[in-house]
Amino acid sequence: MKKIKTLKELVYYADEKYGEKTFITEHIREQIRSSSFHMFRNDCDAVAAWLEETFKSKIHAALIGDTSYKYLTAWLGIQCCANVSVPLDTSNKAERIADEINRSDCEVVFLDSNHTGDVEVFKRLCPSVKQHISIFEKTENTL
């Protein structure tokens, strides 16, 4: 087996070894969706490329949400460009999460639908955060 030293190497190795095989299957809004290892690698690379283009330097990025394909893509995409992922406890109140964001020096926050309502709190309490990125499925009824 190939010696894997980083999470980026893990994502790339999984794509090379398993390619179009199913990486994850999710039940989302009455639909079953599957994503391949190759799709996962491409999506991780897209997150990494966006972070590199947007920030031009290494950053810390917070993740607030339940484990999903989009959560994993954000988490490992952050890692694929050698940035720091900071997964935060979703059960905490917004003020506590804001404190954790500040103490971890995050400049970006990826959040799921359960926390999009907390963005105003984060904007008020976390002045160093430059971007708040929603990682949930949009429907006609969401903003």
Side-chain angles (χ1 to χ4, degrees), residues 36-126:
S36 70
F37 284 89
H38 183 67
M39 181 186 296
F40 183 65
R41 174 187 172 171
N42 286 340
D43 290 345
C44 288
D45 282 344
V47 170
W50 178 81
L51 287 168
E52 287 178 326
E53 178 63 28
T54 302
F55 293 95
K56 311 282 190 225
S57 63
K58 299 303 176 198
I59 60 155
H60 293 189
L63 292 149
I64 310 165
D66 295 329
T67 304
S68 66
Y69 178 80
K70 288 188 174 193
Y71 181 91
L72 293 171
T73 300
W75 185 12
L76 294 176
I78 294 163
Q79 296 292 319
C80 282
C81 57
N83 287 303
V84 176
S85 300
V86 183
L88 299 177
D89 187 348
T90 61
S91 66
N92 287 334
K93 301 246 184 260
E95 291 76 14
R96 172 67 188 244
I97 294 172
D99 179 56
E100 292 170 343
I101 291 168
N102 287 330
R103 286 187 292 120
S104 60
D105 297 324
C106 289
E107 295 181 51
V108 179
V109 176
F110 290 87
L111 50 121
D112 70 4
S113 60
N114 295 327
H115 294 87
T116 54
D118 298 333
V119 169
E120 291 307 316
V121 173
F122 300 150
K123 285 181 178 179
R124 181 171 41 84
L125 298 177
C126 307

